Amino acid sequence: LRSTADIITSFESDVPPWETLHGLLDNAIYGGRIDNVFDQRILRTCLQTYYKLDNVSVGDRPARPLPNSKGVGPKGGPVTVPDSQQHAEFVALINQLPDVAQ
C-alpha cells in the first residue's frame, strides 16, 4: 500500500493513473510473487474492484463506499476511503476494521 500511495502522490493530477497503478501492482509489486493463474485472476479482480475512481473523492464528488464493505466499517457502516492524504487517517480506519469478516 505504501508503494501505491507513493505512486499516486507522484502524479500531479487529481485523478490517479488507474491503468498505471493496475499494471505496476499486477506485474511488478504483487504479480511477481504469484505463480498460479487463479491467484493472478483474483489479484486483477481486486485491483479492478477497489482501485478505481468511484472509490475516491474527486473535487466535490465524495467517495462511494467500497464494494462488499457493508457492516464492516466504523460503527457497523460501510468502509469509505478517507478524503485525505494523511497516512494516519488511513491507519485509523484500518484499526477500526474487524479482524475477521462476518
Side-chain angles (χ1 to χ4, degrees):
L1 292 177
R2 187 170 305 277
S3 298
T4 304
D6 291 343
I7 293 166
I8 290 172
T9 57
S10 71
F11 286 87
E12 296 181 12
S13 171
D14 286 342
V15 179
W18 297 112
E19 287 186 35
T20 302
L21 285 172
H22 290 178
L24 287 170
L25 292 169
D26 182 17
N27 297 309
I29 297 172
Y30 294 114
R33 296 184 179 102
I34 294 176
D35 59 2
N36 114 14
V37 176
F38 181 74
D39 290 344
Q40 189 71 43
R41 288 178 53 199
I42 291 172
L43 172 62
R44 287 182 180 150
T45 299
C46 288
L47 292 172
Q48 292 168 355
T49 301
Y50 296 104
Y51 284 77
K52 64 181 185 177
L53 185 59
D54 290 346
N55 299 334
V56 296
S57 61
V58 175
D60 293 336
R61 187 188 57 76
R64 291 184 184 167
L66 295 177
N68 306 313
S69 70
K70 185 177 180 182
V72 298
K75 300 179 184 174
V79 176
T80 303
V81 175
D83 183 19
S84 172
Q85 292 184 4
Q86 300 299 315
H87 182 260
E89 289 189 37
F90 288 88
V91 171
L93 172 65
I94 291 167
N95 287 335
Q96 294 178 38
L97 298 175
D99 289 333
V100 178
Q102 302 295 327

